[in-house]
Amino acid sequence: MQLKAINIDGLQTPNNVFLAPLAGYTNAVFRKMCYGLGAGLTFTEMVSAKGLCYKSNASAELLFVTEDYGGIKACQLFGGEPEYIKMAAESEHVAPFDLIDLNFGCPVPKIFNNGEGSALLADFDRAGRIIKAARSSGKRVSVKFRIGITEGNFVAADFAKMCEDSGADMLTVHGRTRDKMYAGEVNYGQIEAVKKAVNIPVIANGGVFCEADADKLVNNTVADGVMLARGAMYDPSLFCEITHSPVPDKKQLILKQLEDTLTYYGERFCLVFMRKMVAFYTKGGKNSSALRTKLFACNSVGELKTMIEGVEW
């Protein structure tokens, strides 16, 4: 794929290879690490607009950004009520961010059944009002959505037009329907239909685990860029591969992530989170099953660090 900057209503990204907002994973340290590896744009985990409005500490903590993060600051909000989206977008918590991404794609039953996430694909009017509410804050707004709720009932192109007409500055399209969750083939044709329907940047999402996957996704959709999700969790150096940047030593990269996570989030969070991440990083490797058994038996960050140092990366 051709590397290029993406212009989001005056915000210029260094390239068109982005990190997806991933609930439970894209904390401040992981975002900083991926940006350092070549990600052109990263997003926070999805944050409840209503939670921010009701002063939820857990929601506010998801918006933490390290002082040395050098990229465009982008947060993702979710919610089904325009008034809460507007209040959250205008809040002090969101003030430091340059870009608000709206989640119209989450397929999880708890979110969907509450009329949020991908449920909004069935309510163009309310989705449009949510976009306008976010845009009224003066922030730039992007939208991440799926191609439909059920296979065969695609709404991608029409939904994209509505998003653009409502004020969205960029779109990211996950090329699966809600009922597919995260499995199955990516529908290139539906992403291409979105690209042809609008005049704002379109980023393609789904199924990128190597540079060849990124090339295939862009070539088959004519999208402006790609967004990495699970591929980045398995190997954050995928950003280096796609952007042709130097690949760091994997062991040192993970140890640095461990150190930074401990510094910013404390021992308890660091242990739980980094055990989860190291499980991803070692998946498919030599003796990975036995390693994971030992990994989840670690009871301290020190013990986990020793284990990371002993792995043949």
Side-chain angles (χ1 to χ4, degrees):
M1 61 174 281
Q2 179 185 358
L3 296 176
K4 62 180 182 180
I6 299 294
N7 189 308
I8 310 169
D9 189 30
L11 280 178
Q12 195 90 347
T13 69
N15 63 48
N16 53 345
V17 186
F18 298 167
L19 173 67
L22 298 165
Y25 296 98
T26 53
N27 60 46
V29 172
F30 188 69
R31 297 196 308 273
K32 183 181 77 165
M33 180 175 72
C34 290
Y35 179 74
L37 294 170
L41 184 63
T42 74
F43 296 83
T44 67
E45 302 174 52
M46 66 177 192
V47 178
S48 167
K50 187 176 285 189
L52 290 179
C53 294
Y54 280 99
K55 311 298 183 184
S56 162
N57 289 333
S59 296
E61 287 169 1
L62 296 175
L63 295 173
F64 172 65
V65 181
T66 62
E67 290 184 3
D68 57 350
Y69 180 75
I72 294 169
K73 296 181 178 69
C75 66
Q76 189 186 70
L77 300 179
F78 78 93
E81 297 158 285
E83 57 270 29
Y84 285 113
I85 293 290
K86 179 178 172 62
M87 289 172 61
E90 294 176 346
S91 71
E92 61 179 341
H93 299 295
V94 175
F97 290 88
D98 308 300
L99 175 67
I100 295 172
D101 187 66
L102 296 172
N103 184 317
F104 293 166
C106 181
V108 175
K110 180 180 177 181
I111 302 295
F112 182 84
N113 293 335
N114 201 37
E116 301 167 334
S118 57
L120 288 157
L121 294 168
D123 193 337
F124 280 37
D125 177 70
R126 187 156 55 99
R129 287 188 285 116
I130 287 172
I131 295 168
K132 290 174 183 175
R135 202 69 174 86
S136 70
S137 69
K139 298 281 188 182
R140 297 168 178 87
V141 174
S142 61
V143 177
K144 188 171 188 288
F145 65 96
R146 287 177 175 248
I147 59 176
I149 294 177
T150 56
E151 186 68 23
N153 297 304
F154 303 123
V155 300
D158 289 338
F159 194 81
K161 291 177 190 174
M162 178 278 297
C163 290
E164 183 179 34
D165 290 344
S166 299
D169 300 300
M170 182 179 75
L171 305 174
T172 300
V173 188
H174 184 155
R176 298 184 179 95
T177 48
R178 184 258 169 177
D179 61 345
K180 296 291 185 182
M181 301 295 283
Y182 304 102
E185 295 296 319
V186 172
N187 189 316
Y188 300 129
Q190 285 296 306
I191 301 176
E192 182 180 15
V194 168
K195 176 60 184 170
K196 291 179 176 178
V198 298
N199 296 303
I200 54 178
V202 173
I203 306 301
N205 172 227
V208 177
F209 295 93
C210 63
E211 184 179 10
D213 291 337
D215 291 339
K216 185 177 180 181
L217 187 57
V218 169
N219 291 339
N220 283 283
T221 64
V222 298
D224 297 294
V226 297
M227 181 173 279
L228 311 186
R230 286 175 297 156
M233 292 194 308
Y234 292 133
D235 184 6
S237 294
L238 179 55
F239 287 105
C240 299
E241 179 185 342
I242 297 174
T243 61
H244 305 142
S245 305
V247 179
D249 179 82
K250 190 169 185 178
K251 181 183 293 185
Q252 295 307 313
L253 182 70
I254 297 168
L255 287 172
K256 174 63 174 169
Q257 184 187 11
L258 179 76
E259 176 188 332
D260 287 350
T261 304
L262 179 61
T263 298
Y264 288 110
Y265 292 99
E267 170 108 11
R268 182 178 178 183
F269 178 92
C270 179
L271 179 62
V272 174
F273 179 74
M274 287 303 300
R275 284 190 310 197
K276 184 169 60 174
M277 294 310 301
V278 175
F280 277 118
Y281 299 156
T282 55
K283 188 172 183 178
K286 185 179 179 181
N287 300 320
S288 60
S289 180
L291 279 171
R292 281 196 297 278
T293 300
K294 289 175 58 180
L295 174 65
F296 287 102
C298 287
N299 291 312
S300 71
V301 171
E303 189 179 346
L304 180 57
K305 181 180 179 181
T306 299
M307 180 180 169
I308 293 170
E309 290 173 334
V311 173
E312 294 181 21
W313 297 98

